[in-house]
Amino acid sequence: MPYDPSAFPPFAVTVDLVVLTVRRHSLCALAVRRGEPPFQGRWALPGGFVRADEDLSQAAARELAEETGLCAHDPSVPAQDNGAHLEQLATYGDPKRDPRMRVVSVAHLALAPDLPAPRAGGDASNARWAPVEELLQQGGYGRDGEPVAPLAFDHALILADGVERARSKIEYSSLATAFCPPEFTVGELRRVYEAVWGVALDPRNFHRKVTGTPGFLVPTGGTTTRQGGRPAQLFRAGGATLLNPPMLRPEV
Amino acid sequence: MPYDPSAFPPFAVTVDLVVLTVRRHSLCALAVRRGEPPFQGRWALPGGFVRADEDLSQAAARELAEETGLCAHDPSVPAQDNGAHLEQLATYGDPKRDPRMRVVSVAHLALAPDLPAPRAGGDASNARWAPVEELLQQGGYGRDGEPVAPLAFDHALILADGVERARSKIEYSSLATAFCPPEFTVGELRRVYEAVWGVALDPRNFHRKVTGTPGFLVPTGGTTTRQGGRPAQLFRAGGATLLNPPMLRPEV
DNA sequence: ATCATAGTCGTCTGCCTGACGATAAACACT
DNA sequence: AGTGTTTATCGTCAGGCAGACGACTATGAT
């Protein structure tokens, strides 16, 4: 394993972001339109080069702030305030993943509450929240009848990995609260699970589970009727980060 | 996000390997002695530069073969034969993690059955299996009374992450069989769990759990007495990769 | 007033786990 | 041959948790 400084090939290192949120009862990811070749005009995940003096997590947090205005929290702490949860996802380094040069991309996963429309360099038409199924389908037509091109580079693969990570991680952690505003009801949290997993959950069993797990939710005392119906208790995320026993994802 | 080829800082990209096995009832990792500065003479994780035309997983498999002679399996398949399970772990890119230059290391996790003594470039004294607690303790003295220096670079952090990944992943997957030879008994599999988790498990409940999970173990028909006592049935790893419900790690 | 909507509390049943007794089949002694 | 030791394997029982689902409550809409 020689470390001769002239004996290694130079790489470009980037961070790409899978930013997920729940809007209108469906799991959405942030996509930006590419302004230059390759894949000009196609949708891609936000991202950019890691700077010379920057740690990977710093670079990811910087990109996240540039694209969304979100302030990333320490990965060991569940999301609070208007910050987002941010964690490293995986690294992608196929020699041909970028046609121009050798690029290794360290993908990160960010989970955020529902946000206003995104801004990409101030240009709203070049950034959007899109349902993940729409971004992941290969070709075909979107909900507006407009033809859909696959994501640029290997970003469909990265997005699929990020979605799978989020789906499995809310099973055994309190991460689903990262999709919620600072104060939320049990029903709102349940709708997050339903959107991320794409299933329907029994409201009564869900309520029993989350309120019965010590440290998961702490009541704030307030109530709200913003979802209609009977007023619901408001909660904040508690200190517990691990759910034991886990929330069970229904089969099939 | 400009992609101007002259606008990004060059990085060296390496793969580092956390190779775990179970020997003498304890979880051990492969360590190699560094032959040159920095950290000359200190123990480190095996690893090396990613070549210009190589994928990350290819580089990891190549390094693994060079260090141990193991043939890595496809990550989606549980280990069989004399191959090892290999999967990407995480990427480490602190600007100061290597004092000489900017190095981003994509760590991989390999799980292997108990092997003969390792070879590092043919030199046995420069590679060894060591219990992970021994490699992770900061300073102090090893079991042979010899003073122990911490691992080079940030390899203690990488090793700790790899161990934690292995510990949690055998809960909900059949990955523990990657530590076993092609044919093994329920008791041998139980000793793997006990070594990785550092706990004692009830042999009767463990037996019920693993034999009752469909697709986890398939009997080969043979028996063995290599562990002493009553002959035990031999099994191979079944097709199931996910354990549902998971194996529960005892509290405390 | 009535209905629709959402939230919250209970009940019941079945499955799984942890604790642990009992039996079985080998080997090592004496 | 008998006895003890070791490991494997089968069974039993009680407690906990999840799925299915009934019942009641408190709002806003018509």
Side-chain angles (χ1 to χ4, degrees):
Chain A
M1 295 144 295
Y3 264 85
D4 175 357
S6 66
F8 64 90
F11 289 72
V13 176
T14 63
V15 291
D16 285 324
L17 295 179
V18 176
V19 190
L20 299 179
T21 194
V22 173
R23 354 180 65 199
R24 283 180 271 106
H25 212 274
S26 85
L27 182 64
C28 295
L30 183 60
V32 298
R33 197 191 295 273
R34 286 189 55 79
E36 60 226 64
F39 301 101
Q40 185 168 21
R42 293 264 285 278
W43 293 99
L45 298 177
F49 289 104
V50 177
R51 296 181 180 162
D53 56 350
E54 209 178 32
D55 194 5
L56 301 174
S57 57
Q58 286 172 22
R62 175 178 53 77
E63 292 288 341
L64 182 64
E66 288 175 5
E67 301 286 347
T68 66
L70 285 167
C71 156
H73 277 263
D74 185 273
S76 61
V77 187
Q80 292 167 350
D81 311 322
N82 71 335
H85 171 87
L86 182 61
E87 67 178 46
Q88 194 186 109
L89 177 58
T91 299
Y92 301 81
D94 187 298
K96 292 195 282 281
R97 66 181 293 278
D98 188 309
R100 293 157 302 170
M101 57 187 171
R102 187 70 200 264
V103 179
V104 164
S105 173
V106 184
H108 285 69
L109 175 66
L111 308 184
D114 198 357
L115 297 170
R119 47 166 190 159
D123 186 349
S125 74
N126 286 334
R128 62 162 182 157
W129 294 106
V132 293
E133 321 86 61
E134 189 176 321
L135 291 174
L136 286 176
Q137 67 184 348
Q138 300 293 332
Y141 296 86
R143 73 173 59 194
D144 49 4
E146 176 190 357
V148 176
L151 288 176
F153 304 107
D154 52 2
H155 287 188
L157 173 63
I158 299 176
L159 175 59
D161 289 347
V163 169
E164 180 47 38
R165 168 84 63 98
R167 284 186 174 144
S168 65
K169 208 155 180 180
I170 64 173
E171 287 187 51
Y172 58 89
S173 78
S174 61
L175 213 55
T177 58
F179 288 115
C180 293
E183 296 200 346
F184 53 90
T185 69
V186 173
E188 288 165 348
L189 183 61
R190 175 170 49 82
R191 280 181 274 279
V192 164
Y193 275 89
E194 291 178 332
V196 175
W197 284 344
V199 297
L201 299 176
D202 185 292
R204 296 157 292 188
N205 293 337
F206 183 87
H207 189 277
R208 177 182 59 189
K209 173 71 177 171
V210 297
T211 56
T213 301
F216 189 8
L217 299 182
V218 293
T220 66
T223 63
T224 182
T225 61
R226 61 184 172 221
Q227 299 288 343
R230 170 176 163 180
Q233 242 185 309
L234 284 169
F235 295 88
R236 284 185 297 103
T241 58
L242 252 49
L243 259 49
N244 202 323
M247 181 91 55
L248 295 181
R249 175 159 32 164
E251 315 279 322
V252 184
Chain B
M1 297 144 294
Y3 264 85
D4 176 355
S6 67
F8 64 90
F11 288 72
V13 176
T14 62
V15 291
D16 285 324
L17 294 179
V18 176
V19 190
L20 300 180
T21 193
V22 174
R23 353 178 67 198
R24 283 182 272 106
H25 212 273
S26 86
L27 182 64
C28 294
L30 183 61
V32 298
R33 197 191 293 275
R34 286 189 55 78
E36 62 226 63
F39 301 101
Q40 184 168 21
R42 293 264 286 278
W43 293 100
L45 298 178
F49 288 105
V50 177
R51 295 181 180 162
D53 57 350
E54 208 178 33
D55 195 4
L56 301 174
S57 58
Q58 285 171 24
R62 173 177 56 76
E63 292 287 341
L64 182 65
E66 288 175 7
E67 301 285 347
T68 66
L70 285 168
C71 155
H73 278 262
D74 185 273
S76 62
V77 187
Q80 292 167 350
D81 312 322
N82 70 337
H85 171 87
L86 183 61
E87 67 178 47
Q88 194 186 109
L89 177 58
T91 300
Y92 301 81
D94 187 299
K96 292 195 282 283
R97 63 181 295 277
D98 188 310
R100 293 158 301 172
M101 56 187 173
R102 188 70 200 265
V103 179
V104 164
S105 173
V106 183
H108 285 69
L109 175 66
L111 308 184
D114 198 357
L115 297 170
R119 45 165 191 160
D123 187 349
S125 75
N126 286 335
R128 64 163 182 156
W129 294 106
V132 293
E133 321 87 58
E134 191 178 319
L135 291 173
L136 287 176
Q137 68 184 348
Q138 299 294 331
Y141 297 86
R143 73 172 61 193
D144 49 5
E146 177 191 357
V148 176
L151 288 175
F153 304 107
D154 53 1
H155 287 187
L157 173 63
I158 299 175
L159 176 60
D161 288 348
V163 168
E164 181 48 38
R165 169 84 63 97
R167 283 188 174 142
S168 65
K169 208 155 180 181
I170 63 173
E171 286 186 52
Y172 58 88
S173 78
S174 61
L175 214 55
T177 58
F179 287 115
C180 293
E183 296 200 347
F184 53 90
T185 69
V186 173
E188 289 165 347
L189 183 62
R190 176 170 48 83
R191 277 175 218 100
V192 164
Y193 275 89
E194 291 179 332
V196 174
W197 285 345
V199 297
L201 299 175
D202 185 290
R204 297 156 292 189
N205 293 336
F206 183 87
H207 189 277
R208 177 182 59 191
K209 174 70 176 172
V210 296
T211 57
T213 301
F216 190 7
L217 300 181
V218 294
T220 66
T223 62
T224 182
T225 61
R226 62 185 172 221
Q227 299 287 342
R230 171 176 163 179
Q233 240 184 313
L234 283 170
F235 294 88
R236 283 185 298 103
T241 59
L242 253 48
L243 258 49
N244 205 325
M247 181 92 55
L248 294 182
R249 172 157 37 161
E251 314 279 323
V252 183

